Amino acid sequence: MIIHSLLPRPMASNKLPISFLLLSFFLSRIHVHGHPNYSDALAKSILFFQGQRSGSLPKDQKITWRSNSGLSDGSAAKVDLTGGYYDAGDNVKFGFPMAFTTTMLSWSVIENGKRMKIEVNNARAAIRWATDYLLKAATQTPGKLYVGVGDPNADHQCWERPEDMDTPRTVYSVSAANPGSDVAAETAAALAASSIVFRSADPKYSKLLLSVARKVMDFAVKYQGKYSDSLGGAACPYYCSYSGYKDELLWGASWLFRASNDISYLSYLRSLGANDNIDIFSWDNKLAGARVLLSRKTLVDRDKSFEPFRLQAEDFMCKILPNSPSSTTQYTPGGLIFKQSSANLQYVTSISFLLNTYAKYMMSSNHTFKCGNILVKPNNLRTLAKRQVDYILGENPLNMSYMVGFGTRFPQRIHHRGSSLPSLASHPSAIGCQAGFQYYKSSNPNPNILTGAVVGGPDQNDAFPDDRTDYSHSEPATYINAPLIGSLAFLVGSYDS
């Protein structure tokens, strides 16, 4: 069985022995030959989402080796759950990471949409493909939120195109009797954040998104529990809610407060008392993201009542910065943030987004802070974030871009069913569940280029095998790309003409 397991693993407490002088070199070196083409990377990172689409594809679909799939999704529960995204290289629609992806895509546009130029319309389209699905999931059956389509255990015993899949399209949901505060609050966050994105572009749609976000958040608060306790093997080991649901309740309330200015959400999020010290931000743990979002009220709006969140956000930053006395973050010899052995780049892209966003908030009030006796300025955060993005785009010991289709050298054998199997155009007849493994085991490059896909990335020594069977390093995922889009948009506005 092939297990797609992008799981948080226990944090290592030891840091790689990198001297401060060496790190300073990584963070301050001048790119003599310029910088990566951020505009090209931005366009491709957004285009990637078209390759992850489920449902009936539109006429303007640019990743043309993909075709319609999952057209009967939801029928097992007599509802319509077509559309949405496959989260990674499999054919399952997991609602939890899909919602987080949507929140981060939306936040990327909220903070940096003006810098995206013509790409902002493509980013909105990527968000809407997800929100249309999330609206269906949240509104079709009163008292239920649909949170998944496709039996993940059956799916992971097959290697087949989404267009061919014949494994059970089981429908999973949470309800009062089987609660899922984490997935519900994340869905509420996604709908609330996206309502801000569409406020000017489509006011009617924006109001619908916010209205449904309120109802889903009420559900998350009223019926509390971990969704992975309710769903069992449909969630674990794939997307277990390891951090519990308090972080999502804080995150969801923070986004609803941002989108609505309703003080009831403010009162609620302040009552949660989520004081965990963390050094990670991901589809599972949202505390750092919520604190950065809430710190905006202090730094931009000058509301001192939000100071506790600012202090928590800065505690997080001090755990990331390499020269901080309280840093708990490892770096590879090549200067890449290293958090986990599986799909590490998801943490790199999400943390880099927070670095850039917090720097933006700091700039608005000429704010600085200290990690011990080290003064931190906005540019310190931005320089580290840029270094991470540049590493992903090829400025690394292997001179390899970890974005498919970007640069002259990039992963050729990604762990992705649709990319690794012949397209319908080249192989019209179905390729069965087991027959597909001949392509999975092949050492040949993938026949279909999943343009813009960012894979799990190198190991702690900057090595990358480019092996399709090594999902922990070679599998792309929507939540790796989503926060990267925000960082790329910032860099486009700062460096590209």
Side-chain angles (χ1 to χ4, degrees):
M1 179 187 292
I2 300 159
I3 297 290
H4 159 123
S5 175
L6 300 183
L7 309 180
R9 302 250 166 87
M11 292 301 299
S13 59
N14 59 310
K15 286 182 276 185
L16 294 178
I18 299 178
S19 72
F20 172 69
L21 289 175
L22 186 58
L23 241 328
S24 298
F25 168 75
F26 284 138
L27 301 184
S28 63
R29 69 178 184 164
I30 297 171
H31 300 295
V32 177
H33 301 293
H35 56 80
N37 185 335
Y38 299 122
S39 295
D40 185 44
L42 174 64
K44 287 174 175 172
S45 66
I46 297 171
L47 180 60
F48 156 73
F49 286 89
Q50 291 195 16
Q52 298 302 108
R53 283 172 169 171
S54 181
S56 180
L57 303 185
K59 291 180 180 179
D60 63 357
Q61 172 83 8
K62 293 185 176 65
I63 295 188
T64 54
W65 51 264
R66 280 298 322 282
S67 300
N68 298 340
S69 62
L71 297 182
S72 63
D73 280 1
S75 60
K78 298 182 180 178
V79 291
D80 174 13
L81 293 174
T82 56
Y85 290 115
Y86 304 114
D87 69 296
D90 52 28
N91 299 329
V92 182
K93 294 193 299 207
F94 291 100
F96 196 24
M98 194 194 307
F100 176 70
T101 293
T102 310
T103 309
M104 294 310 298
L105 277 173
S106 298
W107 200 1
S108 293
V109 173
I110 290 166
E111 298 295 347
N112 297 295
K114 291 180 181 177
R115 293 169 176 259
M116 291 181 180
K117 301 175 183 174
I118 61 171
E119 287 302 323
V120 72
N121 291 326
N122 293 326
R124 283 199 201 101
I127 293 166
R128 191 158 189 157
W129 195 269
T131 52
D132 282 351
Y133 172 84
L134 293 175
L135 286 171
K136 291 180 185 180
T139 60
Q140 291 199 65
T141 304
K144 275 190 178 180
L145 172 66
Y146 293 100
V147 299
V149 182
D151 180 335
N153 298 300
D155 180 87
H156 285 84
Q157 293 183 53
C158 293
W159 194 260
E160 56 188 350
R161 300 177 295 203
E163 293 83 1
D164 287 340
M165 59 185 171
D166 50 8
T167 51
R169 300 302 285 171
T170 312
V171 174
Y172 302 96
S173 62
V174 293
S175 62
N178 296 287
S181 297
D182 30 30
V183 67
E186 180 61 72
T187 302
L191 296 172
S194 58
S195 78
I196 301 171
V197 170
F198 290 101
R199 193 171 284 165
S200 298
D202 191 336
K204 184 178 178 181
Y205 190 62
S206 173
K207 288 177 182 177
L208 173 63
L209 291 166
L210 184 56
S211 172
V212 176
R214 287 179 180 274
K215 293 173 183 175
V216 178
M217 190 66 199
D218 288 347
F219 172 83
V221 172
K222 187 173 182 181
Y223 305 108
Q224 294 195 11
K226 283 170 59 173
Y227 96 112
S228 46
D229 287 345
S230 295
L231 268 60
C236 299
Y238 311 101
Y239 293 101
C240 277
S241 184
Y242 293 98
S243 67
Y245 56 82
K246 185 177 280 189
D247 56 309
E248 277 84 22
L249 291 176
L250 180 70
W251 179 241
S254 300
W255 275 110
L256 274 156
F257 178 62
R258 174 77 187 271
S260 68
N261 286 318
D262 184 337
I263 60 170
S264 67
Y265 294 113
L266 176 58
S267 301
Y268 179 70
L269 65 88
R270 283 180 168 157
S271 75
L272 287 169
N275 294 316
D276 311 47
N277 292 318
I278 36 85
D279 61 358
I280 207 159
F281 177 48
S282 71
W283 59 261
D284 182 40
N285 194 318
K286 321 295 164 51
L287 289 175
R291 289 161 180 170
V292 168
L293 179 64
L294 292 167
S295 68
R296 181 180 182 276
K297 292 296 292 182
T298 287
L299 296 173
V300 178
D301 298 339
R302 314 296 171 92
D303 185 337
K304 296 301 180 185
S305 70
F306 286 80
E307 280 288 294
F309 300 109
R310 178 186 67 79
L311 294 172
Q312 288 176 325
E314 289 170 5
D315 177 75
F316 171 79
M317 300 297 163
C318 290
K319 285 180 165 57
I320 302 300
L321 289 166
N323 56 337
S324 163
S326 57
S327 178
T328 56
T329 300
Q330 296 185 13
Y331 286 80
T332 69
L336 181 71
I337 289 172
F338 191 81
K339 287 292 180 183
Q340 309 285 357
S341 59
S342 187
N344 178 61
L345 287 187
Q346 67 174 300
Y347 308 106
V348 178
T349 61
S350 59
I351 289 170
S352 297
F353 177 86
L354 293 187
L355 292 168
N356 268 327
T357 302
Y358 198 73
K360 177 184 176 182
Y361 298 165
M362 290 172 68
M363 291 285 286
S364 70
S365 55
N366 296 314
H367 178 71
T368 60
F369 65 92
K370 285 190 172 183
C371 297
N373 61 355
I374 296 174
L375 183 67
V376 180
K377 299 179 180 180
N379 273 349
N380 299 125
L381 303 184
R382 285 179 168 170
T383 300
L384 178 56
K386 182 179 184 297
R387 172 68 192 121
Q388 302 308 302
V389 174
D390 289 353
Y391 184 109
I392 291 169
L393 297 181
E395 300 272 340
N396 56 59
L398 295 181
N399 293 316
M400 168 179 271
S401 160
Y402 290 102
M403 177 184 288
V404 174
F406 182 86
T408 56
R409 188 183 181 205
F410 52 83
Q412 301 291 317
R413 299 164 190 85
I414 67 172
H415 182 96
H416 189 278
R417 289 157 173 77
S419 173
S420 67
L421 289 155
S423 67
L424 279 177
S426 63
H427 193 295
S429 58
I431 302 171
C433 169
Q434 295 301 310
F437 280 107
Q438 64 181 300
Y439 301 98
Y440 170 74
K441 296 172 183 175
S442 168
S443 61
N444 293 330
N446 287 11
N448 306 311
I449 302 297
L450 185 57
T451 302
V454 179
V455 296
D459 66 15
Q460 66 268 33
N461 298 310
D462 300 300
F464 180 76
D466 197 10
D467 179 355
R468 190 178 300 111
T469 66
D470 181 7
Y471 67 84
S472 65
H473 298 106
S474 295
E475 187 168 21
T478 57
Y479 44 85
I480 300 177
N481 273 62
L484 179 62
I485 286 169
S487 293
L488 286 169
F490 169 74
L491 291 166
V492 165
S494 301
Y495 294 90
D496 287 3
S497 57

